[in-house]
């Protein structure tokens, strides 16, 4: 339960009243095309702030005046709340309450420069993991735009017909834009392009959880997952919450956190239970940012020549994906390739993989063909796991040297075109005829360990070692 449940309820009620007023105005405009056209003329640009324009419209419909009045009351009340010097974030008002506070602040355009004092409060909450970095970015950009300054984070954006992201309002020092975004935990502008087609990314409400780049709060639960994130360094860890931070079982966690400069806050168990997805967190969770994604060139440079790289494609269940990654990591696979983002289910994936999804070097690609082409260009063979009697049995296949191996999901499998162009087709020799195919996680474990055993046997002995018969 959040620390201030009454404030949470008040913020939610304020937003509900404002959104209801917006709905009534929209209905009135739909019923009066001439009035709607006049409002469009007054707005002038799609990025213009609505409420200030309505407030200056002498002949505005009554529904517009109602919205202006509701907005003014909400802005005044939010000013009183923020006069206390603390942003109503996750611990104080919960996820939905923090979303509500952002929306009220975002809509308080008529306050003008007075709203600038709210941005540092929100920045402090973001630094503590208590607020959404996108809340900070969008509010800072809106305040800048309404006061005649360039936007610092580039969230006032849309997708041009050529697929490029455009900023209708100037951006401050575009060359350092992505660096500023990264500093607060946002992905680069280019990573948002696929999600701008239907409008701006609005960080409000449960529906935004369907968009990978719009996740918040992003949680890793349990000390194993949190330790893996700290060790891997592939994502920013804002803050760690623990019910017993001094517990001897968290010695490694504390050491890694000190090394990474991440603070551990002691919180009550009900605070963690309020935001945790599961009930096996052991009183530990971390508020984290998005994973820094790598492409094939970066992955291949990291794993080096002669590596075993596996692509998991077509798995739809995050638990199965996590289990498969856990098996591949344990088997010693050098790198992983995926086609979809698992950020929408990062909590489940990290728990199911025992944190190895953070530790295993990973690249994301648009297609299996893209990954295979990159590996062939690096001198690697391309293999694929199939349920085909004519494929080479796993026990006798040559799995040595640089190898890219595709393992498909249970439902869709692997496309015929990819199978036909593969250098190596593998099958798992089952002990019973007619046995149902293994799931992706089990197949990954069998193939991963078989490959590791063979590659160890075929690896040259360390320099200077004696043959076994001479020892």
């Amino acid at each position: 339960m959040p620390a201030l449940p009454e404030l949470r309820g008040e913020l939610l009620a304020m937003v509900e009243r404002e959104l209801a007023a917006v709905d009534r105005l929209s209905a009135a405009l739909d019923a009066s095309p001439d009035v709607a056209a006049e409002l469009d003329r007054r707005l002038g640009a799609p990025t213009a702030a609505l409420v200030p324009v309505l407030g200056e419209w002498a002949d505005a419909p009554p529904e517009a005046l109602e919205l202006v009045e509701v907005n003014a009351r909400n802005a005044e009340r939010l000013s009183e709340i923020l006069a206390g010097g603390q942003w109503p974030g996750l611990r104080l008002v919960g996820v939905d309450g923090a979303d509500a506070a952002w929306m009220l602040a975002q809509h308080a355009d008529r306050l003008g420069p007075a709203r600038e004092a709210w941005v540092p409060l929100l920045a402090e909450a973001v630094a503590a993991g208590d607020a959404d970095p996108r809340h900070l970015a969008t509010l800072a950009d809106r305040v800048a735009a309404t006061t005649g300054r360039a936007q610092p984070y580039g969230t006032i954006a849309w997708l041009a017909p050529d697929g490029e992201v455009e900023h209708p309002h100037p951006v401050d020092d575009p060359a350092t834009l992505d660096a500023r975004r990264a500093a607060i935990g946002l992905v680069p502008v280019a990573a948002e392009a696929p999600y701008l087609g239907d409008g701006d990314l609005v960080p409000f409400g449960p529906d935004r959880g369907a968009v990978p780049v719009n996740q918040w709060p992003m949680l890793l639960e349990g000390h194993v997952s949190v330790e893996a994130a700290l060790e891997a360094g592939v994502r920013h860890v804002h803050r760690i919450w623990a019910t017993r931070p001094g517990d001897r079982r968290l010695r490694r966690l504390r050491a890694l956190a000190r090394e990474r400069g991440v603070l551990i806050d002691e919180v009550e168990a009900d605070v963690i239970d309020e935001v945790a997805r599961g009930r096996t967190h052991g009183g530990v969770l971390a508020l984290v940012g998005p994973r820094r994604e790598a492409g094939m060139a970066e992955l291949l440079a990291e794993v080096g020549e002669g590596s075993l790289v596996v692509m998991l494609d077509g798995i739809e269940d995050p638990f199965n994906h996590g289990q498969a990654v856990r098996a591949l990591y344990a088997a010693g696979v050098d790198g992983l390739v995926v086609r979809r983002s698992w950020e929408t289910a990062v909590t489940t994936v990290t728990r199911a993989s025992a944190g190895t999804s953070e530790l295993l070097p990973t690249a994301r690609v648009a297609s299996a063909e893209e990954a295979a082409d990159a590996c062939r260009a690096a001198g690697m063979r391309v293999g694929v796991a199939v349920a085909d009697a004519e494929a080479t049995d796993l026990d006798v296949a040559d799995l040595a040297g640089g190898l890219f191996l595709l393992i498909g999901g249970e439902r869709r499998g692997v496309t015929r075109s990819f199978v036909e162009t593969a250098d190596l087709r593998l099958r798992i020799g089952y002990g019973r005829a007619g046995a149902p195919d293994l799931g992706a996680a089990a197949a990954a474990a069998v193939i991963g360990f078989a490959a590791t055993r063979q590659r160890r046997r075929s690896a040259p002995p360390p320099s200077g070692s004696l043959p076994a018969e001479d020892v």
Side-chain angles (χ1 to χ4, degrees):
M1 157 173 278
L4 300 176
E6 292 183 0
L7 177 57
R8 176 194 202 173
E10 182 181 6
L11 291 169
L12 293 174
M14 291 162 67
V15 167
E16 185 176 353
R17 286 193 294 271
E18 188 156 318
L19 292 180
V22 170
D23 287 342
R24 286 190 286 273
L25 174 60
S26 297
L29 295 174
D30 288 340
S32 304
D34 292 343
V35 175
E38 174 61 17
L39 176 58
D40 287 341
R41 187 190 68 78
R42 289 174 174 271
L43 287 170
T47 58
L50 174 64
V51 174
V53 170
L54 295 179
E56 297 173 358
W57 188 3
D59 298 325
E63 293 84 0
L65 299 179
E66 178 194 5
L67 174 56
V68 171
E69 291 173 3
V70 171
N71 176 268
R73 290 197 301 271
N74 283 348
E76 181 181 1
R77 176 57 185 141
L78 185 61
S79 295
E80 295 172 353
I81 294 169
L82 296 178
Q86 187 173 13
W87 187 266
L90 190 59
R91 274 178 281 194
L92 292 182
V93 297
V95 177
D96 51 0
D99 274 1
W102 166 81
M103 179 166 280
L104 294 168
Q106 192 79 349
H107 288 177
D109 295 306
R110 298 188 79 193
L111 292 181
R115 196 168 43 159
E116 292 189 37
W118 300 353
V119 176
L121 300 180
L122 181 49
E124 290 177 9
V126 168
D130 247 353
D132 186 351
R134 195 171 296 277
H135 285 172
L136 171 59
T138 50
L139 181 60
D141 285 347
R142 182 128 170 182
V143 169
T146 55
T147 54
R149 293 179 285 111
Q151 53 174 329
Y153 298 109
T155 60
I156 302 175
W158 55 44
L159 199 64
D162 61 0
E164 293 294 320
V165 176
E166 290 186 348
H167 295 103
H169 189 81
V171 171
D172 182 30
D173 191 8
T176 60
L177 173 59
D178 281 341
R180 287 195 301 275
R181 292 168 62 94
I184 65 169
L186 287 187
V187 298
V189 171
E192 296 182 347
Y195 310 103
L196 283 175
D198 295 327
D200 295 342
L201 291 166
V202 179
F204 178 82
D207 290 345
R208 67 187 173 111
V211 179
V213 298
N214 220 12
Q215 300 299 300
W216 186 80
M218 294 185 70
L219 307 174
L220 302 184
E221 298 175 5
H223 74 90
V224 173
S225 295
V226 178
E227 288 170 10
L230 291 168
E231 181 180 346
V234 295
R235 66 175 78 245
H236 181 67
V237 179
H238 294 287
R239 194 65 63 101
I240 298 170
W241 292 356
T243 56
R244 298 174 60 193
D247 192 314
R248 60 180 178 80
R249 293 170 295 182
L250 303 183
R251 282 195 297 265
R252 184 167 182 267
L253 175 65
R254 290 194 296 272
L256 287 168
R258 282 195 301 271
E259 184 179 329
R260 299 291 189 268
V262 178
L263 297 178
I264 303 176
D265 291 342
E266 183 174 1
V267 299
E268 297 296 326
D270 58 357
V271 174
I272 290 183
D273 288 339
E274 169 77 15
V275 297
R277 308 287 194 263
R279 290 293 175 262
T280 58
H281 46 69
V284 177
L285 63 78
L287 298 144
V288 302
R291 184 182 183 121
R292 292 185 289 276
E293 291 189 338
M296 286 302 299
E298 295 170 87
L299 175 65
L300 294 176
E302 181 176 357
V303 301
E305 295 182 2
S307 299
L308 174 60
V309 176
V310 173
M311 180 172 183
L312 297 173
D313 189 31
I315 301 178
E316 299 178 0
D317 182 82
F319 182 84
N320 289 345
H321 177 76
Q323 288 280 292
V325 173
R326 184 173 184 168
L328 294 175
Y329 184 85
V333 168
D334 300 296
L336 173 69
V337 180
V338 295
R339 190 161 53 90
R340 59 160 291 180
S341 170
W342 287 99
E343 293 293 86
T344 56
V346 63
T347 305
T348 301
V349 170
T350 51
R351 290 287 291 172
S353 71
T356 59
S357 57
E358 299 289 294
L359 297 169
L360 187 58
T362 303
R364 186 178 171 207
V365 296
S367 66
E369 289 75 15
E370 176 190 340
D373 289 345
C375 289
R376 281 198 176 97
M380 302 170 70
R381 291 180 299 147
V382 172
V384 59
V386 294
D388 185 346
E390 297 181 359
T392 304
D393 192 281
L394 183 61
D395 293 337
V396 299
D398 178 10
L399 305 177
L403 178 63
F404 169 79
L405 183 59
L406 175 64
I407 300 175
E410 302 95 287
R411 289 189 178 182
R412 295 198 302 269
V414 180
T415 61
R416 181 183 298 274
S417 60
F418 191 96
V419 173
E420 291 174 349
T421 57
D423 305 312
L424 176 65
R425 291 184 295 156
L426 294 174
R427 67 177 177 87
I428 299 173
Y430 292 172
R432 283 190 170 88
D437 291 340
L438 292 177
V446 172
I447 294 171
F449 280 99
T452 297
R453 284 194 299 270
Q454 184 186 128
R455 293 164 73 85
R456 282 176 178 167
R457 290 194 299 267
S458 63
S463 177
S465 62
L466 295 173
E469 60 268 24
D470 292 338
V471 175

Short mmCIF file of all heavy atoms in Angstrom, two decimals, residues 108-151:
data_model
loop_
_atom_site.label_atom_id
_atom_site.label_comp_id
_atom_site.label_asym_id
_atom_site.label_seq_id
_atom_site.Cartn_x
_atom_site.Cartn_y
_atom_site.Cartn_z
N ALA A 108 -1.35 21.51 -16.89
CA ALA A 108 -1.44 22.79 -16.19
C ALA A 108 -0.74 23.91 -16.97
O ALA A 108 0.03 24.70 -16.42
CB ALA A 108 -0.84 22.66 -14.79
N ASP A 109 -1.04 24.00 -18.26
CA ASP A 109 -0.34 24.95 -19.13
C ASP A 109 -0.60 26.40 -18.76
O ASP A 109 0.26 27.27 -18.99
CB ASP A 109 -0.76 24.72 -20.59
CG ASP A 109 -0.32 23.37 -21.11
OD1 ASP A 109 0.88 23.07 -21.02
OD2 ASP A 109 -1.17 22.61 -21.61
N ARG A 110 -1.74 26.71 -18.19
CA ARG A 110 -2.08 28.10 -17.91
C ARG A 110 -1.25 28.70 -16.76
O ARG A 110 -1.25 29.90 -16.57
CB ARG A 110 -3.57 28.24 -17.58
CG ARG A 110 -4.48 27.81 -18.73
CD ARG A 110 -5.91 28.13 -18.44
NE ARG A 110 -6.24 29.54 -18.66
CZ ARG A 110 -7.35 30.13 -18.25
NH1 ARG A 110 -8.25 29.43 -17.57
NH2 ARG A 110 -7.58 31.40 -18.51
N LEU A 111 -0.52 27.83 -16.04
CA LEU A 111 0.34 28.35 -14.97
C LEU A 111 1.60 28.99 -15.52
O LEU A 111 2.28 29.73 -14.80
CB LEU A 111 0.71 27.22 -14.00
CG LEU A 111 -0.41 26.65 -13.16
CD1 LEU A 111 0.13 25.57 -12.24
CD2 LEU A 111 -1.08 27.75 -12.34
N GLY A 112 1.94 28.68 -16.78
CA GLY A 112 3.11 29.30 -17.41
C GLY A 112 4.41 28.97 -16.70
O GLY A 112 4.62 27.84 -16.24
N PRO A 113 5.29 29.94 -16.53
CA PRO A 113 6.62 29.70 -15.94
C PRO A 113 6.57 29.16 -14.52
O PRO A 113 7.53 28.55 -14.06
CB PRO A 113 7.28 31.08 -15.97
CG PRO A 113 6.57 31.82 -17.08
CD PRO A 113 5.15 31.32 -17.02
N ALA A 114 5.47 29.37 -13.79
CA ALA A 114 5.37 28.88 -12.41
C ALA A 114 5.54 27.36 -12.35
O ALA A 114 5.98 26.81 -11.33
CB ALA A 114 4.03 29.29 -11.81
N ARG A 115 5.22 26.70 -13.46
CA ARG A 115 5.31 25.23 -13.49
C ARG A 115 6.75 24.74 -13.55
O ARG A 115 7.02 23.57 -13.29
CB ARG A 115 4.50 24.74 -14.71
CG ARG A 115 4.17 23.29 -14.69
CD ARG A 115 3.15 22.93 -15.73
NE ARG A 115 3.38 23.54 -17.03
CZ ARG A 115 2.89 23.08 -18.17
NH1 ARG A 115 2.14 22.00 -18.17
NH2 ARG A 115 3.12 23.69 -19.32
N GLU A 116 7.71 25.60 -13.88
CA GLU A 116 9.10 25.20 -14.00
C GLU A 116 9.64 24.67 -12.67
O GLU A 116 10.54 23.83 -12.65
CB GLU A 116 9.95 26.36 -14.48
CG GLU A 116 9.66 26.77 -15.92
CD GLU A 116 10.67 27.77 -16.45
OE1 GLU A 116 11.85 27.65 -16.10
OE2 GLU A 116 10.26 28.66 -17.22
N ALA A 117 9.10 25.15 -11.55
CA ALA A 117 9.58 24.70 -10.24
C ALA A 117 9.24 23.24 -9.98
O ALA A 117 9.82 22.62 -9.08
CB ALA A 117 8.98 25.57 -9.14
N TRP A 118 8.30 22.68 -10.75
CA TRP A 118 7.93 21.28 -10.55
C TRP A 118 8.94 20.32 -11.17
O TRP A 118 9.07 19.18 -10.72
CB TRP A 118 6.55 21.02 -11.17
CG TRP A 118 5.46 21.83 -10.59
CD1 TRP A 118 5.52 22.66 -9.50
CD2 TRP A 118 4.11 21.90 -11.07
NE1 TRP A 118 4.30 23.25 -9.28
CE2 TRP A 118 3.41 22.80 -10.21
CE3 TRP A 118 3.42 21.30 -12.12
CZ2 TRP A 118 2.07 23.09 -10.39
CZ3 TRP A 118 2.08 21.59 -12.31
CH2 TRP A 118 1.41 22.48 -11.45
N VAL A 119 9.63 20.77 -12.22
CA VAL A 119 10.53 19.87 -12.95
C VAL A 119 11.65 19.33 -12.05
O VAL A 119 11.92 18.11 -12.07
CB VAL A 119 11.09 20.56 -14.20
CG1 VAL A 119 12.11 19.66 -14.90
CG2 VAL A 119 9.95 20.92 -15.16
N PRO A 120 12.34 20.15 -11.24
CA PRO A 120 13.38 19.58 -10.36
C PRO A 120 12.83 18.57 -9.36
O PRO A 120 13.52 17.60 -9.02
CB PRO A 120 13.95 20.81 -9.66
CG PRO A 120 13.63 21.96 -10.54
CD PRO A 120 12.31 21.62 -11.17
N LEU A 121 11.60 18.77 -8.88
CA LEU A 121 11.00 17.81 -7.95
C LEU A 121 10.80 16.47 -8.63
O LEU A 121 11.08 15.40 -8.06
CB LEU A 121 9.66 18.33 -7.43
CG LEU A 121 9.67 19.65 -6.66
CD1 LEU A 121 8.25 20.01 -6.22
CD2 LEU A 121 10.59 19.56 -5.46
N LEU A 122 10.32 16.51 -9.87
CA LEU A 122 10.12 15.28 -10.62
C LEU A 122 11.46 14.63 -10.95
O LEU A 122 11.60 13.40 -10.91
CB LEU A 122 9.34 15.59 -11.90
CG LEU A 122 9.01 14.41 -12.83
CD1 LEU A 122 8.40 13.25 -12.07
CD2 LEU A 122 8.08 14.87 -13.95
N ALA A 123 12.49 15.44 -11.22
CA ALA A 123 13.81 14.90 -11.51
C ALA A 123 14.37 14.16 -10.30
O ALA A 123 15.00 13.10 -10.44
CB ALA A 123 14.76 16.02 -11.93
N GLU A 124 14.15 14.69 -9.11
CA GLU A 124 14.60 14.01 -7.90
C GLU A 124 13.89 12.66 -7.73
O GLU A 124 14.51 11.67 -7.34
CB GLU A 124 14.34 14.89 -6.68
CG GLU A 124 15.21 16.14 -6.60
CD GLU A 124 14.85 17.01 -5.41
OE1 GLU A 124 14.04 16.55 -4.57
OE2 GLU A 124 15.37 18.14 -5.31
N ALA A 125 12.60 12.64 -8.03
CA ALA A 125 11.85 11.39 -7.92
C ALA A 125 12.33 10.36 -8.93
O ALA A 125 12.43 9.17 -8.63
CB ALA A 125 10.35 11.66 -8.10
N VAL A 126 12.66 10.80 -10.14
CA VAL A 126 13.18 9.88 -11.17
C VAL A 126 14.52 9.31 -10.72
O VAL A 126 14.78 8.10 -10.86
CB VAL A 126 13.31 10.61 -12.52
CG1 VAL A 126 14.13 9.77 -13.51
CG2 VAL A 126 11.94 10.91 -13.09
N ALA A 127 15.38 10.15 -10.19
CA ALA A 127 16.69 9.68 -9.74
C ALA A 127 16.56 8.64 -8.64
O ALA A 127 17.41 7.74 -8.51
CB ALA A 127 17.52 10.86 -9.24
N ALA A 128 15.51 8.72 -7.86
CA ALA A 128 15.27 7.76 -6.77
C ALA A 128 14.48 6.55 -7.23
O ALA A 128 14.17 5.68 -6.41
CB ALA A 128 14.54 8.45 -5.63
N GLY A 129 14.15 6.48 -8.53
CA GLY A 129 13.35 5.36 -9.02
C GLY A 129 11.89 5.49 -8.68
O GLY A 129 11.12 4.54 -8.84
N ASP A 130 11.48 6.65 -8.18
CA ASP A 130 10.11 6.85 -7.72
C ASP A 130 9.17 7.39 -8.79
O ASP A 130 7.98 7.53 -8.54
CB ASP A 130 10.10 7.80 -6.53
CG ASP A 130 9.68 7.12 -5.24
OD1 ASP A 130 9.28 5.95 -5.31
OD2 ASP A 130 9.73 7.75 -4.18
N ALA A 131 9.72 7.77 -9.94
CA ALA A 131 8.88 8.34 -11.00
C ALA A 131 9.42 7.90 -12.34
O ALA A 131 10.59 7.52 -12.49
CB ALA A 131 8.84 9.86 -10.90
N ASP A 132 8.57 7.96 -13.33
CA ASP A 132 8.87 7.53 -14.70
C ASP A 132 9.77 8.54 -15.39
O ASP A 132 9.43 9.73 -15.45
CB ASP A 132 7.54 7.39 -15.45
CG ASP A 132 7.69 6.82 -16.85
OD1 ASP A 132 8.84 6.67 -17.31
OD2 ASP A 132 6.66 6.53 -17.47
N PRO A 133 10.91 8.12 -15.94
CA PRO A 133 11.75 9.06 -16.69
C PRO A 133 11.00 9.75 -17.83
O PRO A 133 11.28 10.91 -18.15
CB PRO A 133 12.87 8.17 -17.23
CG PRO A 133 12.95 7.03 -16.28
CD PRO A 133 11.54 6.79 -15.84
N ARG A 134 10.04 9.06 -18.42
CA ARG A 134 9.27 9.68 -19.50
C ARG A 134 8.35 10.78 -18.95
O ARG A 134 8.05 11.74 -19.65
CB ARG A 134 8.47 8.64 -20.28
CG ARG A 134 7.95 9.15 -21.61
CD ARG A 134 7.35 8.03 -22.44
NE ARG A 134 8.34 7.06 -22.80
CZ ARG A 134 9.18 7.17 -23.84
NH1 ARG A 134 9.13 8.22 -24.61
NH2 ARG A 134 10.06 6.23 -24.10
N HIS A 135 7.91 10.63 -17.73
CA HIS A 135 7.16 11.73 -17.10
C HIS A 135 8.03 12.98 -17.03
O HIS A 135 7.59 14.08 -17.36
CB HIS A 135 6.73 11.33 -15.69
CG HIS A 135 5.59 10.38 -15.64
ND1 HIS A 135 5.17 9.78 -14.48
CD2 HIS A 135 4.76 9.92 -16.62
CE1 HIS A 135 4.13 8.99 -14.73
NE2 HIS A 135 3.87 9.06 -16.02
N LEU A 136 9.27 12.80 -16.59
CA LEU A 136 10.19 13.95 -16.49
C LEU A 136 10.45 14.55 -17.87
O LEU A 136 10.39 15.77 -18.04
CB LEU A 136 11.51 13.50 -15.86
CG LEU A 136 12.65 14.52 -15.88
CD1 LEU A 136 12.26 15.79 -15.15
CD2 LEU A 136 13.90 13.90 -15.28
N ALA A 137 10.74 13.71 -18.85
CA ALA A 137 11.09 14.21 -20.18
C ALA A 137 9.93 14.96 -20.81
O ALA A 137 10.10 16.06 -21.36
CB ALA A 137 11.52 13.05 -21.07
N THR A 138 8.73 14.40 -20.74
CA THR A 138 7.58 15.05 -21.39
C THR A 138 7.18 16.33 -20.67
O THR A 138 6.81 17.31 -21.32
CB THR A 138 6.38 14.09 -21.45
OG1 THR A 138 6.15 13.52 -20.15
CG2 THR A 138 6.63 12.96 -22.44
N LEU A 139 7.26 16.35 -19.34
CA LEU A 139 6.91 17.57 -18.62
C LEU A 139 7.96 18.66 -18.89
O LEU A 139 7.61 19.82 -19.13
CB LEU A 139 6.80 17.32 -17.12
CG LEU A 139 6.40 18.54 -16.29
CD1 LEU A 139 5.05 19.08 -16.73
CD2 LEU A 139 6.40 18.21 -14.80
N ALA A 140 9.24 18.30 -18.84
CA ALA A 140 10.29 19.29 -19.10
C ALA A 140 10.16 19.86 -20.51
O ALA A 140 10.33 21.07 -20.73
CB ALA A 140 11.66 18.65 -18.91
N ASP A 141 9.85 19.00 -21.49
CA ASP A 141 9.70 19.48 -22.87
C ASP A 141 8.47 20.37 -23.01
O ASP A 141 8.50 21.38 -23.72
CB ASP A 141 9.59 18.28 -23.82
CG ASP A 141 10.93 17.60 -24.06
OD1 ASP A 141 11.96 18.18 -23.69
OD2 ASP A 141 10.93 16.48 -24.61
N ARG A 142 7.39 20.02 -22.34
CA ARG A 142 6.17 20.82 -22.45
C ARG A 142 6.37 22.19 -21.80
O ARG A 142 5.94 23.22 -22.34
CB ARG A 142 5.01 20.09 -21.79
CG ARG A 142 3.68 20.83 -21.89
CD ARG A 142 2.62 19.94 -22.44
NE ARG A 142 1.29 20.50 -22.37
CZ ARG A 142 0.20 19.85 -22.77
NH1 ARG A 142 0.31 18.65 -23.25
NH2 ARG A 142 -0.99 20.40 -22.69
N VAL A 143 7.00 22.20 -20.63
CA VAL A 143 7.28 23.48 -19.96
C VAL A 143 8.16 24.35 -20.84
O VAL A 143 7.93 25.56 -21.00
CB VAL A 143 7.93 23.24 -18.59
CG1 VAL A 143 8.47 24.54 -18.01
CG2 VAL A 143 6.93 22.60 -17.62
N ALA A 144 9.19 23.73 -21.44
CA ALA A 144 10.09 24.49 -22.32
C ALA A 144 9.32 25.05 -23.52
O ALA A 144 9.48 26.23 -23.88
CB ALA A 144 11.23 23.60 -22.79
N ALA A 145 8.50 24.23 -24.14
CA ALA A 145 7.78 24.66 -25.34
C ALA A 145 6.80 25.79 -25.03
O ALA A 145 6.66 26.74 -25.81
CB ALA A 145 7.04 23.48 -25.96
N THR A 146 6.12 25.72 -23.88
CA THR A 146 5.13 26.75 -23.55
C THR A 146 5.77 28.03 -23.03
O THR A 146 5.07 29.05 -22.89
CB THR A 146 4.13 26.22 -22.51
OG1 THR A 146 4.84 25.75 -21.35
CG2 THR A 146 3.30 25.09 -23.08
N THR A 147 7.06 28.00 -22.74
CA THR A 147 7.76 29.21 -22.28
C THR A 147 8.76 29.70 -23.32
O THR A 147 9.62 30.54 -23.02
CB THR A 147 8.47 28.96 -20.94
OG1 THR A 147 9.33 27.81 -21.05
CG2 THR A 147 7.47 28.73 -19.83
N GLY A 148 8.66 29.15 -24.55
CA GLY A 148 9.47 29.67 -25.65
C GLY A 148 10.90 29.17 -25.71
O GLY A 148 11.74 29.80 -26.36
N ARG A 149 11.21 28.04 -25.05
CA ARG A 149 12.56 27.50 -25.10
C ARG A 149 12.58 26.17 -25.85
O ARG A 149 11.54 25.54 -26.06
CB ARG A 149 13.10 27.30 -23.66
CG ARG A 149 13.30 28.61 -22.92
CD ARG A 149 13.80 28.39 -21.50
NE ARG A 149 12.74 27.90 -20.62
CZ ARG A 149 12.69 26.67 -20.11
NH1 ARG A 149 13.64 25.79 -20.42
NH2 ARG A 149 11.70 26.32 -19.32
N ALA A 150 13.77 25.75 -26.26
CA ALA A 150 13.92 24.47 -26.97
C ALA A 150 13.70 23.31 -26.00
O ALA A 150 14.04 23.40 -24.81
CB ALA A 150 15.32 24.38 -27.59
N GLN A 151 13.11 22.24 -26.52
CA GLN A 151 12.84 21.08 -25.66
C GLN A 151 14.13 20.29 -25.40
O GLN A 151 14.90 20.03 -26.32
CB GLN A 151 11.76 20.19 -26.27
CG GLN A 151 12.01 19.74 -27.70
CD GLN A 151 10.97 18.75 -28.17
OE1 GLN A 151 10.43 17.95 -27.39
NE2 GLN A 151 10.69 18.75 -29.46
#
